[in-house]
Amino acid sequence: MPAMHLVYKLEAPNTPQPVTVSTNADLIMASELNSTKTRITPRLIVHGGAGNITRKNLPQASYNTYCSALLATMRAANDLLAAGGTALDASTHAVSLLENIPLFNAGKGAVFTRAGTNELEASVMVSRGKRKRGCGVMLVKRVKNPILLAREMLLRGEEENGGGAQGHCQLSGEDVERLARKWNCEMVEPSYFFTQKRWDQHRRGLEKESGASWGLSSASDEKGNTNAELEDENPEIEEYLPQGTVGCVALDQWGTLCVATSTGGLTNKLPGRIGDTPTLGAGFWAEEWIDNPASIEYPQALPLYQHLIPIRAHLTAILGNCLPSLTTYTSLAQDDLEGTKPIPSKARAVAMSGTGNGDSFLRTAAARTAAAITRFSTPTIPLLAAVTQIVGPDGEMQRSAGDRWGKTGGGEGGIIGIELVNGKGRIVQDFNCGGMFRAWVDDRGTERVMVFKEGY
């Protein structure tokens, strides 16, 4: 592949300082978390969207530009991991960089709604170490980096009242932006997200529906061909702009996985539409479990009072309805405040970020379904095989599209992820459409960047 040069500056956003607060760890995991001091080799993979990408609508020069941006982003995030950063640090930093590059459908490069506005979404989730585990923000219009808002919401979940977000894992619109100001996230005017290419794409889509001329800008290629001439020559030419999301999955030296995802959504979506990106279990997921839970000893109630437990629970519930101040919540023992204690040898973990047709991810609960296949199958099915069952050729996503497959973009998409098994991270990726922008470091330590199943 010829040498590639990054066109857009990777601007590091102003990251709010994380709050220093305590968190509640999972009691079931707590006894296992100290069982080993093994350090894990960090791994990381990023993606920049997926869709009906072909070599005809993605010229070599454009391919090189996208690949260069992905590689630079991956390297910056990997440097954080190498310096001892957490998976949360690395994944959210990578996505914030991609949000600042107009090439991708997130942040500065987000698509427009039918009303000509930008409504952004982002999410983050960790396999362990945070009370909320995952958070999603949506209908965001004034936060420069929505992924940093989602990150802050996750961190503030360790505070009393969630820093104003209470125990909620999803918030939207003006309410979450009010919290963003309170948390000192960087705010911008809605006009910041405007890009001419996305605006032309928006107008072109409306024009196709109505048959009217919307006075598109006369952009041209290197030969001087205008938009209309290019479309006559190749009707797919406008579609090479990434249509999905941007995302990153990272594994840190402590064995914690984190997934971060951000998007502008679907081109010409209805205002108020919420996709898979901020929806837990649909466009993203991360979890950890013990491979042999039967080996864990759970605390038992004293036999003398065991028969009273159901009665006590029933009475407490009744009184709780009458006396709101009476809480049934029991604080858990505190352990692993930052998710940086070594992972137990029996533990397994997965994390995934999806990209493509969001409604298809929602209908199939794609990310969580893939995780569940791996976690609950006997014998165990590797995450790669599970992901292929969902977003691979002839997988569940494709079948969900029915007769719309190949006509509307329904069912198209891909997933990147990492599976942690026996203390080693495995990079996972598959897709059922023309291509998926992605970059990672393989098992031999070689940097890889690809769009198609094979090289360009």
Side-chain angles (χ1 to χ4, degrees), residues 54 127 181 241 307 319 336 386 415:
T54 69
S127 58
R181 293 185 183 92
L241 292 174
H307 67 286
L319 292 173
D336 195 19
I415 288 177

mmCIF file of all heavy atoms in Angstrom, residues 54 127 181 241 307 319 336 386 415:
data_model
loop_
_atom_site.group_PDB
_atom_site.id
_atom_site.type_symbol
_atom_site.label_atom_id
_atom_site.label_comp_id
_atom_site.label_asym_id
_atom_site.label_seq_id
_atom_site.Cartn_x
_atom_site.Cartn_y
_atom_site.Cartn_z
ATOM 1 N N THR A 54 -17.536 0.335 -2.079
ATOM 2 C CA THR A 54 -16.907 -0.453 -3.143
ATOM 3 C C THR A 54 -15.642 0.257 -3.597
ATOM 4 O O THR A 54 -15.411 1.424 -3.269
ATOM 5 C CB THR A 54 -17.846 -0.629 -4.349
ATOM 6 O OG1 THR A 54 -18.014 0.643 -4.997
ATOM 7 C CG2 THR A 54 -19.216 -1.151 -3.924
ATOM 8 N N SER A 127 -16.422 -3.430 31.104
ATOM 9 C CA SER A 127 -16.758 -4.787 31.523
ATOM 10 C C SER A 127 -16.853 -4.905 33.037
ATOM 11 O O SER A 127 -17.504 -5.813 33.559
ATOM 12 C CB SER A 127 -15.724 -5.780 30.984
ATOM 13 O OG SER A 127 -14.412 -5.444 31.427
ATOM 14 N N ARG A 181 -22.976 21.135 30.604
ATOM 15 C CA ARG A 181 -22.459 22.453 31.022
ATOM 16 C C ARG A 181 -21.999 22.405 32.482
ATOM 17 O O ARG A 181 -20.944 22.940 32.826
ATOM 18 C CB ARG A 181 -23.535 23.516 30.836
ATOM 19 C CG ARG A 181 -23.899 23.789 29.381
ATOM 20 C CD ARG A 181 -24.880 24.948 29.266
ATOM 21 N NE ARG A 181 -25.272 25.160 27.884
ATOM 22 C CZ ARG A 181 -26.333 24.603 27.319
ATOM 23 N NH1 ARG A 181 -27.107 23.784 28.024
ATOM 24 N NH2 ARG A 181 -26.623 24.839 26.051
ATOM 25 N N LEU A 241 -19.201 8.236 1.486
ATOM 26 C CA LEU A 241 -19.088 8.834 2.805
ATOM 27 C C LEU A 241 -19.569 7.829 3.845
ATOM 28 O O LEU A 241 -20.650 7.272 3.697
ATOM 29 C CB LEU A 241 -19.944 10.107 2.888
ATOM 30 C CG LEU A 241 -19.487 11.295 2.050
ATOM 31 C CD1 LEU A 241 -20.510 12.418 2.132
ATOM 32 C CD2 LEU A 241 -18.129 11.788 2.520
ATOM 33 N N HIS A 307 -36.561 -18.473 57.042
ATOM 34 C CA HIS A 307 -37.982 -18.456 56.696
ATOM 35 C C HIS A 307 -38.584 -17.060 56.811
ATOM 36 O O HIS A 307 -39.672 -16.802 56.310
ATOM 37 C CB HIS A 307 -38.758 -19.431 57.592
ATOM 38 C CG HIS A 307 -38.796 -19.000 59.019
ATOM 39 N ND1 HIS A 307 -37.690 -19.097 59.848
ATOM 40 C CD2 HIS A 307 -39.796 -18.437 59.771
ATOM 41 C CE1 HIS A 307 -38.009 -18.642 61.050
ATOM 42 N NE2 HIS A 307 -39.279 -18.235 61.024
ATOM 43 N N LEU A 319 -44.105 -0.974 52.944
ATOM 44 C CA LEU A 319 -43.766 0.240 53.658
ATOM 45 C C LEU A 319 -43.047 1.241 52.772
ATOM 46 O O LEU A 319 -43.205 2.451 52.919
ATOM 47 C CB LEU A 319 -42.897 -0.102 54.878
ATOM 48 C CG LEU A 319 -43.606 -0.874 55.995
ATOM 49 C CD1 LEU A 319 -42.600 -1.305 57.048
ATOM 50 C CD2 LEU A 319 -44.707 -0.022 56.632
ATOM 51 N N ASP A 336 -12.036 -2.649 44.111
ATOM 52 C CA ASP A 336 -11.701 -2.356 42.719
ATOM 53 C C ASP A 336 -12.344 -1.057 42.240
ATOM 54 O O ASP A 336 -13.130 -1.050 41.310
ATOM 55 C CB ASP A 336 -12.122 -3.519 41.819
ATOM 56 C CG ASP A 336 -11.478 -3.436 40.454
ATOM 57 O OD1 ASP A 336 -10.473 -2.728 40.315
ATOM 58 O OD2 ASP A 336 -11.977 -4.079 39.515
ATOM 59 N N ALA A 386 -19.689 -16.064 17.151
ATOM 60 C CA ALA A 386 -20.956 -15.459 17.554
ATOM 61 C C ALA A 386 -21.231 -14.183 16.761
ATOM 62 O O ALA A 386 -22.359 -13.940 16.309
ATOM 63 C CB ALA A 386 -20.932 -15.165 19.051
ATOM 64 N N ILE A 415 -19.386 -5.493 13.124
ATOM 65 C CA ILE A 415 -19.049 -5.395 14.538
ATOM 66 C C ILE A 415 -17.545 -5.601 14.711
ATOM 67 O O ILE A 415 -16.965 -6.482 14.078
ATOM 68 C CB ILE A 415 -19.806 -6.450 15.373
ATOM 69 C CG1 ILE A 415 -21.296 -6.082 15.484
ATOM 70 C CG2 ILE A 415 -19.207 -6.588 16.780
ATOM 71 C CD1 ILE A 415 -22.126 -7.122 16.228
#
